Amino acid sequence: GLVDFLRSSQTGDSGGVPSYAKHFYPLKQSLRHDSLNEIAFSQGGSAAVTYQATPRYTDGTSLLNPAFPYTMDTVATLTTDNGLGNSATWNYSYQGGEIYFNTSFDKQFAGFSGIEVAQPDGSIITKYFHQDDQSLIGRIYQSEVRDDAGVLVRKTTDDFDIQEFVAATGDHPAITSVMGTLQTRFVYEPSGSYEQAATTSAYDCAT
């Protein structure tokens, strides 16, 4: 488990050199407070949620969130049970957690660069998020669906435009709006060929 705090205590003195004992307290193994763990549906059935701390997500021996300075509990699994003996589990993985930092007063959690969801049928959905531009934080720029063999089945990409309505003045930041301008969808065949379709959007931002 993860160590929440460490306490050292002096246990003796040998030749004028003190010796210490280290005590580790892995509270991450205890119950989490104020976290939703189970849902009972009025029509029957239930859902259960488990959590995992961000430093524990790995790809083999490589950490998936090496630059994330905090420990954050995230949903690791969601299991639904219809009450009739049938259950299904979704497994989640998070990578590329970052903090957006502009100044000491202009900083925020920038989310994760990618979130992967392994579905009950074995397919995997991966969504990739903007992190570098504060106006785009949390917006998906690409999503992928792979089958249970890891073969790409569908992909969607999204482009955005940032419109400035009021320019920045003094201590007041500019007033902007983020607008989706182009969405491109790809559907792949087992051979690797694909069909492509796109939707474009235009806006009249005149005031």
Side-chain angles (χ1 to χ4, degrees), residues 4-5 12-13 21 51 62 66 73 87 122 133 136 141 149 154 175 189 191 196 198:
D4 288 88
F5 64 91
D13 191 315
Y51 300 86
S62 300
D73 284 336
S87 63
D133 191 312
L136 296 176
Y141 69 84
R154 295 192 302 276
I175 299 177
E189 299 293 337
S191 63
Q196 176 179 341

Side-chain angles (χ1 to χ4, degrees), residues 96-118:
E98 287 187 359
I99 299 296
Y100 169 84
F101 184 90
N102 184 30
T103 69
S104 299
F105 301 99
D106 184 12
K107 56 185 177 180
Q108 69 180 88
F109 173 46
F112 299 92
S113 63
I115 298 177
E116 182 179 282
V117 184

